[in-house]
Amino acid sequence: MGLSATPAPPVAADRAPLDPVLVGFARDVGAEGPVAAEGHRTRWDAGGALASGTRLVRAPTGVVEHRPEEMTVRVRAGTPVVDLHELLAGARQRSALPERGGTVGGALAVGEAHLCALGRGLLRDAVLQVRYVSADGRVVTGGGPTVKNVSGYDLPRLLVGSLGTLGLLAEAVLRTQPLPAAAVWLRADEVDAFAVRDALYDPAAVLTDGAATWVCLEGHPADIDAESQFLRRLGTWREVDGPPPLPPQRWSLPPAELRHLDRESTGGHVASVGLGVVYANQPPPVCPSTAALSDLRRRLRDAFDPAGRLAPGREPGRR
């Protein structure tokens, strides 16, 4: 993909009229000099520190359109997740975004799903469309507002987790989900969290710190009661208010490696069984990229941002 060396007028790939707010954000980003988007900084160190002298911009805020009957919402990237979820709850809906105090764009840039992703699904699967500002200052649209009319390259999946290195997110269309009729968190000590995950039909979350295990069950009360009764065969469980406090560092590991975690290497952790996500007190270990993966990342970045001006210093996938 070639990019013009001079800024072009903002356009959308689908040729739909652009929101003037997004046009204004594109002007803020501009076409020259190092630049990155700043949200609430809840995962600010992900992928490494920004290069010195990087100019910071803020994405626009607000929910543009919520279609409860279509189970989609169009939301600007600077919108706090808590505000989005408050609006969705009025229609008995929710999203796959994490509830950790951040913004919609920040969660998408980091690629972090909700703690209950076993039930809500992965974040990449929830993004139908993105609008972002490219390295040459244009507004670009990828994907479509509904599943049936998505065609071409799957830019939304590519942008999720890219840390703003391929484009600065301005707006997204997300799938929404119905709120469950009921939900409960349970905790047990000295049970095998991996056996619990294998035994349950459809848990929303299974967490472990190496000693205790937490399970979130969602759905109809009768189904939750049946699963709770089954859990009691595996240990002694008690109902709790919610998940344990999460340490500040977030790791991403192959799910099978979670069995080998120890508190000495993590400084204390909470692992999401079945997903390979670990919240730890220590920074993640260095994981050298393979030559093929490094080359792929380099070629992608060169195609989207040949001048290297978007989030310089950040490297997606760095652990």
Side-chain angles (χ1 to χ4, degrees), residues 9 16 22 27 37 49 56 76 83 91 110 115 117 124 143 203 209 237 255 259 263 269 293 300 307:
L22 301 191
R27 289 179 180 140
L56 299 179
R76 293 169 183 154
D83 291 353
V110 174
L115 186 62
R124 279 187 173 90
D209 64 0
W237 297 82
R259 291 181 178 272
R263 297 181 66 85
H269 65 270
L293 184 56
L300 273 174

Side-chain angles (χ1 to χ4, degrees), residues 104-129:
V104 171
L108 294 176
V110 174
E112 181 176 353
H114 193 276
L115 186 62
C116 293
L118 284 178
R120 299 196 185 200
L122 299 178
L123 192 56
R124 279 187 173 90
D125 296 333
V127 185
L128 298 176
Q129 183 183 72

Side-chain angles (χ1 to χ4, degrees), residues 98-150:
E99 295 169 350
R100 54 170 172 75
T103 64
V104 171
L108 294 176
V110 174
E112 181 176 353
H114 193 276
L115 186 62
C116 293
L118 284 178
R120 299 196 185 200
L122 299 178
L123 192 56
R124 279 187 173 90
D125 296 333
V127 185
L128 298 176
Q129 183 183 72
V130 293
R131 280 183 172 149
Y132 66 93
V133 180
S134 65
D136 59 352
R138 295 180 299 146
V139 177
V140 178
T141 300
T146 61
V147 176
K148 62 185 178 182
N149 65 2
V150 175

Side-chain angles (χ1 to χ4, degrees), residues 159-230:
L159 268 287
V160 173
S162 67
L163 299 176
T165 60
L166 305 180
L168 301 189
L169 287 163
E171 184 182 276
V173 176
L174 307 174
R175 301 174 192 260
T176 62
Q177 305 169 349
L179 283 174
V184 64
W185 278 92
L186 302 170
R187 171 180 167 156
D189 298 318
E190 298 181 354
V191 300
D192 184 344
F194 300 92
V196 168
R197 171 65 188 94
D198 292 339
L200 289 175
Y201 171 64
D202 191 24
V206 178
L207 310 176
T208 181
D209 64 0
T213 298
W214 290 259
V215 171
C216 180
L217 301 175
E218 297 179 337
H220 293 287
D223 294 332
I224 290 178
D225 184 63
E227 287 283 81
S228 298
Q229 294 294 334
F230 183 81

Side-chain angles (χ1 to χ4, degrees), residues 63 65-67 71-75 84 88 172-174 176:
V63 175
E65 183 180 33
H66 178 210
R67 293 188 174 184
M71 301 193 72
T72 64
V73 62
R74 182 181 295 276
V75 58
L84 172 62
L88 294 178
V173 176
L174 307 174
T176 62

